[in-house]
Amino acid sequence: MNDNRTPVTVLGLGRIGATIAEIFLRNGHPTTVWNRSADKGTRLAELGARRAPTPAEAIAAGRLVVVAVADTGGAAALLGSTPGGLDGRTILNVATGRPDEARALGVALSGRGGYFLDGGILGVPQTLGTPDTLLVYSGSPIAQAEHADTIVELGNAKYLGADAGLAGLHDMAVLAGMYGMFGGFFQAVAMVGSENFTAGEFTDSFLVPWFRALLDMLPVLAAEVDSGKFPVNYSDLAVNQAGLANIRTVSRTQGVPTDLLDPLQRLFDAEVERGNGSASFTRAVAGLIGSGAASRN
Ligand SMILES: NC(=O)c1ccc[n+]([C@@H]2O[C@H](COP(=O)([O-])OP(=O)(O)OC[C@H]3O[C@@H](n4cnc5c(N)ncnc54)[C@H](OP(=O)(O)O)[C@@H]3O)[C@@H](O)[C@H]2O)c1
C-alpha cells in the first residue's frame, strides 16, 4: 500500500461499489469499505481493504468517500442516519439519482463540514477504470481540485461545474437518449417479427449498419439545433411528418401498435402546423423545449 495516495472509503459494495473499491486497491489507495450486508466485503478484505464495522467509522477513515448504494435517495438516507461531522471530507455519490436530490444532499453535507460531488456512471462494472466508462460529476470546486486525480482513475471523468445537479441532469439526458434508441429498436424488431423474421438477423443486417451511419450524423444535427435556425442538412420536417405517418400505418397493418412513435408524430405535426415544415426535422427540439414547462413535475 502506498501512503502517498488519498485514503478512500467506499460505502455500498454492490456491482459498482465493489469494482470501484477494487480499482482503488489496485492503484495503491488505503481503502476502507462498508456494506449493509457484511458478506460482500470478504473478497475485498482479502485484496487488502479494511472493513469498517459502521458507516461512521468507514467515513472517518477516508478523505474521499464514494457512496455506491441503490440510488441517491438511499445515499441521502444512509448519510443522514450516520452521525458525526465530516471535517473537510468529500462525499462522491455515484448512485443514480435526480438533480434535486443531489443538490439537497450537497446542502445537507456542507452543513456538516463536508464537500459534495455527485457523479453519474455511464458504463458498466466491466468498463469501470477504463476510458470506456464516462464518469460525469459536478459539485464542490474545492473537492474537485483535491480529488480530480483520484476520480479519473474510475474512467473518463468529466467535471461539469459547481452545481451538484448537473451530473444527474447529464446522466439522465444520456439515458433518455438511450431509451429513445431502445424504443426504436423494440418497434423495428416487432414490425419484422410480425412476418417471422428474427430480431437477430434483422438487427445484424439492417439496424446496426443504419444506426452506425446515424451516429455520424448526430453532430451535424446538433449543430442545426445549436444554430437556433434549424437549416436542412439532411431532411426537412414536412418529409419526416409524412414519412413517420407512413411508418405508423405500416406498423399498425402488421398488427404492431404505434404508442412508442405517436408522441413524435404529434410533435412533428405541431411544428408543421406552426409553419416550420421547411425547417430541418431537428426543429422538433424547439417544440420540445417550448412545451416542456407544463410537464416539469
Ligand atoms: N451496474 C451497473 O452497470 C451500473 C451502471 C451505472 C450506474 N449504476 C448505478 O450504480 C448504483 C449501484 O448499482 P449496482 O449495480 O452496484 O447495484 P447493486 O449491485 O444492486 O448494489 C446495490 C448496493 O447498494 C446497497 N444498498 C441498497 N440500498 C441500501 C440502503 N438503503 N442502505 C445501505 N446500502 C444499500 C446494497 O447493499 P446490500 O448488499 O446490503 O443489499 C448494495 O451494496 C445504482 O444507482 C445504479 O443505478 C450501475
Side-chain angles (χ1 to χ4, degrees):
M1 217 181 277
N2 181 341
D3 286 342
N4 295 324
R5 313 235 54 188
T6 303
V8 294
T9 288
V10 181
L11 303 178
L13 302 174
R15 282 172 283 271
I16 289 290
T19 309
I20 288 174
E22 213 177 309
I23 291 167
F24 285 148
L25 282 165
R26 209 166 47 229
N27 292 345
H29 292 274
T31 303
T32 302
V33 297
W34 174 86
N35 193 66
R36 184 177 54 181
S37 13
D39 56 311
K40 284 197 180 139
T42 308
R43 201 177 57 85
L44 290 161
E46 284 164 11
L47 294 175
R50 179 183 161 243
R51 289 166 82 174
T54 64
E57 286 165 87
I59 290 170
R63 184 78 193 151
L64 173 66
V65 178
V66 178
V67 186
V69 299
D71 53 28
T72 303
L78 173 64
L79 294 165
S81 64
T82 304
L86 293 170
D87 198 21
R89 286 178 180 75
T90 291
I91 307 290
L92 167 63
N93 171 52
V94 296
T96 306
R98 298 192 316 262
D100 61 310
E101 296 173 310
R103 290 185 185 115
L105 184 52
V107 170
L109 295 177
S110 90
R112 291 168 59 184
Y115 299 109
F116 179 64
L117 293 168
D118 193 53
I121 293 173
L122 296 160
V124 292
Q126 292 78 356
T127 61
L128 266 173
T130 78
D132 289 337
T133 282
L134 179 60
L135 173 65
V136 289
Y137 71 108
S138 66
S140 164
I142 294 170
Q144 194 266 341
E146 183 178 345
H147 295 296
D149 289 349
T150 303
I151 293 168
V152 80
E153 294 171 27
L154 302 179
N156 176 10
K158 286 195 193 305
Y159 176 64
L160 298 170
D163 178 353
L166 289 182
L169 175 65
H170 282 68
D171 190 21
M172 296 289 172
V174 170
L175 296 176
M178 177 188 80
Y179 281 115
M181 187 194 76
F182 284 156
F185 166 70
F186 298 158
Q187 187 77 32
V189 296
M191 284 172 73
V192 292
S194 68
E195 296 288 351
N196 298 321
F197 288 97
T198 66
E201 63 185 322
F202 177 72
T203 300
D204 288 348
S205 302
F206 299 97
L207 267 192
V208 167
W210 181 231
F211 276 16
R212 286 218 170 97
L214 289 175
L215 285 180
D216 289 339
M217 298 179 203
L218 283 185
V220 175
L221 298 175
E224 292 179 6
V225 174
D226 286 340
S227 76
K229 297 190 168 70
F230 308 100
V232 179
N233 283 287
Y234 302 118
S235 187
D236 70 26
L237 193 52
V239 163
N240 280 273
Q241 179 196 32
L244 185 55
N246 266 331
I247 292 163
R248 289 168 55 251
T249 302
V250 171
S251 190
R252 282 194 297 269
T253 306
Q254 293 298 132
V256 178
T258 59
D259 308 63
L260 293 172
L261 298 176
D262 296 344
L264 193 55
Q265 184 78 59
R266 284 198 292 277
L267 196 57
F268 285 171
D269 291 348
E271 284 302 308
V272 170
E273 235 167 77
R274 283 192 191 110
N276 294 318
S278 60
S280 169
F281 69 107
T282 51
R283 172 79 214 181
V285 178
L288 271 182
I289 292 170
S291 60
S295 55
R296 266 189 198 134
N297 297 328

